Amino acid sequence: PRQSFVMVKGAAMLLPAEEPLVAEPPPAVPPGQAPGRQEQHLQLMMQLLRPQDAIQLAVRLESARPRRVRYLLVVRPEEVGAEGQTALLGVDFAHEGAARCTLGMVLPLWSDTQVFLDGDG
């Protein structure tokens, strides 16, 4: 899977392979978050996926539990013709420095799917 992301304020967006990464100063790190923590989280989340899957978008969610870290991922296979196989994944980390994550939700997106997120997602 690809590993080029842009991260801004808790959201990560996949960069297309053909676009060069523009050197910019890193965004301010929220208090209590170690530098590189989101990169570690992305690497751990990618290990949950099948080899043919790629993260299209990763967004860090607010959590009702103070220590828990949650992400919402948009995932799609990189195979030709797999455009209709997109899914939303909910991923949980027990705490900021956790060395593993768990998959809490899998929601396939069909052409007529409507998703409404409320509160903690």
Side-chain angles (χ1 to χ4, degrees):
R2 296 182 195 158
Q3 297 183 5
S4 299
F5 295 89
V6 171
M7 287 183 283
V8 179
K9 296 184 181 179
M13 186 166 64
L14 180 69
L15 294 175
E18 60 274 4
E19 290 183 18
L21 183 60
V22 177
E24 295 181 9
V29 177
Q33 183 175 350
R37 187 68 72 192
Q38 283 186 318
E39 290 88 347
Q40 291 173 346
H41 287 175
L42 284 169
Q43 290 298 324
L44 290 168
M45 290 186 288
M46 288 173 63
Q47 292 174 11
L48 291 175
L49 306 179
R50 302 175 304 176
Q52 68 267 30
D53 291 336
I55 297 173
Q56 298 297 307
L57 181 68
V59 178
R60 184 171 172 159
L61 303 175
E62 291 182 14
S63 179
R65 296 184 181 164
R67 296 188 66 208
R68 184 170 303 248
V69 177
R70 305 190 120 166
Y71 286 88
L72 180 68
L73 307 181
V74 177
V75 176
R76 187 180 77 189
E78 290 189 314
E79 302 162 345
V80 175
E83 292 78 21
Q85 298 179 23
T86 302
L88 291 179
L89 303 181
V91 178
D92 297 312
F93 289 84
H95 55 85
E96 187 72 41
R100 67 181 195 90
C101 55
T102 58
L103 192 57
M105 178 194 75
V106 177
L107 178 66
L109 294 180
W110 308 107
S111 61
D112 60 348
T113 299
Q114 291 183 345
V115 177
F116 299 95
L117 300 178
D118 183 22
D120 191 29

